[in-house]
């Protein structure tokens, strides 16, 4: 279906439950893989190949939050619990029905959910069908510099192999790749790679043909916060509120005109506008030209 979008860009305000959304998406993708019995066969891969769902957060603590959420689903849902083979705080391994038949209960498992920080080693690799980037606008490397672009570029190629294949010819794709990208973050300044993806999603460029972007303030996503909470935060700093909760990318130009007091401080009420020049005082006029 040409209307299906496989790259989701979520620009959400603070306290929107972004980590909870990431864990729900990861759990759903795992469910779909388990429901295919042998997803490797569906995608024309060797049946022993590993398929991963990868969640990358801006730091280790954030990655562990998503892990804890998914662990809660796994422990409470029989469908997941009976398929779980092994888990640590960095990964969970699941057996597909085909794995159980072929390798036995104690044998290998071919589905993995992995949770890493943006500075982790080994983000490149085969077999990632879905990767989720949590708080993407704030990804930093070990030197404290933004590495959002590098993380994104490292993982994108691994999604391309997940095209459904003809059952009689594994070399023949019968649909486009089902590899999914989910980029979730509260916004930052109008620069960086997250803002680049946001801008790209608003165009009709071929690069945006696979994208769906949703931008929503906190109050549209998380109805549990009271209006008083928002009023207090707005009163503290209107500029920060627009970015943190309003899900608007910050703009230095917009920032100084946003608060009326910033303009009023520049006004001297006692002065009157000068509507004509003083007699016998020279004035100069000039024209500015710009190159065509």
């Amino acid at each position: 279906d040409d209307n299906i979008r496989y790259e989701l860009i979520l620009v959400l305000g603070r306290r929107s439950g972004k980590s909870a959304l990431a864990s729900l998406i990861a759990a759903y993708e795992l469910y779909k893989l388990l429901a295919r019995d042998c997803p490797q066969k569906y995608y024309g891969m060797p049946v022993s190949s590993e398929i991963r769902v990868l969640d990358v957060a801006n730091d280790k603590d954030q990655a562990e939050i998503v892990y804890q959420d998914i662990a809660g689903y796994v422990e409470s849902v029989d469908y997941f619990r009976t398929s779980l083979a092994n888990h640590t705080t960095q990964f969970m391994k699941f057996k597909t029905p085909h794995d159980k038949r072929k390798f036995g209960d104690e044998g290998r498992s071919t589905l993995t959910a992995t949770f890493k920080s943006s500075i982790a080693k080994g983000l490149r690799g085969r077999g990632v069908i879905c990767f989720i980037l949590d708080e993407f606008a704030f990804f930093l490397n070990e030197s404290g510099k933004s590495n959002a672009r590098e993380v994104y570029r490292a993982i994108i190629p691994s999604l391309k192999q997940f095209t459904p294949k003809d059952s009689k010819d594994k070399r023949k794709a019968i649909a486009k790749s089902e590899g999914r990208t989910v980029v979730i973050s509260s916004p930052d300044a109008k620069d960086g790679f997250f803002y680049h993806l946001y801008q790209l999603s608003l165009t009709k460029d071929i690069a945006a043909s696979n994208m769906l972007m949703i931008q929503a303030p906190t109050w549209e996503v998380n109805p549990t916060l009271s209006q008083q909470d928002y009023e207090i935060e707005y009163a503290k700093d209107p500029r920060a509120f627009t970015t943190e909760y309003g899900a608007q990318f910050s703009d230095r130009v917009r920032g100084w005109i946003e608060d009326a007091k910033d303009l009023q401080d520049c006004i001297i009420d006692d002065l009157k506008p000068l509507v004509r020049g003083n007699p016998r005082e020279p004035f100069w006029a000039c024209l500015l030209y710009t190159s065509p």
Side-chain angles (χ1 to χ4, degrees):
D1 190 338
D2 291 336
N3 293 320
I4 295 177
R5 300 291 182 265
Y6 289 100
E7 184 162 3
L8 179 61
I9 313 296
L10 294 176
V11 185
L12 305 177
R14 295 285 298 276
R15 312 309 305 165
S16 293
K18 292 183 288 297
S19 294
L21 278 172
S23 61
L24 281 170
I25 292 169
Y28 178 63
E29 291 300 320
L30 287 167
Y31 164 78
K32 290 195 301 180
L33 291 167
L34 290 168
R36 289 199 184 280
D37 186 79
C38 183
Q40 291 86 351
K41 183 178 179 180
Y42 177 77
Y43 294 115
M45 304 166 62
V47 295
S48 59
S49 297
E50 181 188 39
I51 299 178
R52 291 192 298 162
V53 173
L54 175 62
D55 179 272
V56 183
N58 63 322
D59 57 37
K60 183 179 178 181
D61 291 340
Q62 193 76 19
E64 288 183 356
I65 291 173
V66 179
Y67 163 78
Q68 293 293 342
D69 285 346
I70 295 183
Y73 303 144
V74 169
E75 292 168 359
S76 60
V77 180
D78 288 341
Y79 192 84
F80 286 123
R81 188 169 58 248
T82 57
S83 300
L84 183 65
N86 186 23
H87 71 96
T88 70
T89 56
Q90 292 187 335
F91 66 84
M92 294 181 179
K93 289 186 173 293
F94 297 86
K95 288 180 178 295
T96 66
H98 180 268
D99 291 340
K100 294 176 181 179
R101 295 194 301 269
K102 183 175 180 63
F103 305 116
D105 291 337
E106 302 300 323
R108 65 174 301 176
S109 53
T110 59
L111 296 187
T112 304
T114 306
F115 313 91
K116 293 188 175 184
S117 74
S118 61
I119 62 173
K121 304 292 184 181
L123 291 178
R124 292 176 179 268
R126 296 177 57 195
V128 178
I129 191 172
C130 174
F131 77 90
I132 302 163
L133 304 175
D134 192 7
E135 288 294 8
F136 185 60
F138 304 96
F139 276 19
L140 300 175
N141 59 23
E142 293 174 337
S143 302
K145 297 180 180 179
S146 174
N147 67 338
R149 183 186 297 270
E150 287 73 17
V151 171
Y152 183 91
R153 295 300 183 197
I155 305 173
I156 280 289
S158 65
L159 301 172
K160 305 305 181 185
Q161 64 181 304
F162 291 100
T163 52
K165 302 298 194 302
D166 189 319
S167 59
K168 297 180 180 179
D169 186 354
K170 294 181 179 180
R171 298 171 299 177
K172 184 179 179 181
I174 58 176
K176 64 182 180 180
S177 174
E178 295 180 355
R180 283 170 166 77
T181 308
V182 182
V183 181
I184 309 176
S185 187
S186 49
D188 196 20
K190 287 186 175 180
D191 57 19
F193 194 64
F194 183 53
Y195 182 65
H196 166 74
L197 293 179
Y198 165 78
Q199 284 191 305
L200 182 62
S201 70
L202 300 174
T203 70
K204 295 182 179 180
D205 193 277
I206 188 173
S209 61
N210 200 33
M211 290 180 171
L212 170 64
M213 188 277 293
I214 298 174
Q215 184 177 22
T218 305
W219 51 88
E220 290 186 2
V221 183
N222 181 5
T224 65
L225 298 182
S226 70
Q227 180 177 342
Q228 184 180 22
D229 290 331
Y230 293 121
E231 290 173 350
I232 291 172
E233 294 303 317
Y234 182 84
K236 290 178 181 177
D237 191 336
R239 302 175 201 171
F241 180 88
T242 303
T243 298
E244 296 288 326
Y245 296 94
Q248 300 296 317
F249 288 88
S250 64
D251 187 326
R252 293 177 182 177
V253 174
R254 187 199 69 209
W256 69 264
I257 64 171
E258 199 168 63
D259 191 336
K261 185 177 182 301
D262 291 335
L263 290 178
Q264 291 168 353
D265 288 343
C266 301
I267 298 173
I268 302 175
D269 294 328
D270 296 335
L271 294 182
K272 295 181 179 180
L274 183 65
V275 295
R276 60 191 304 176
N278 295 325
R280 292 182 294 278
E281 287 190 6
F283 288 83
W284 298 89
C286 67
L287 296 177
L288 289 177
Y289 290 91
T290 58
S291 58

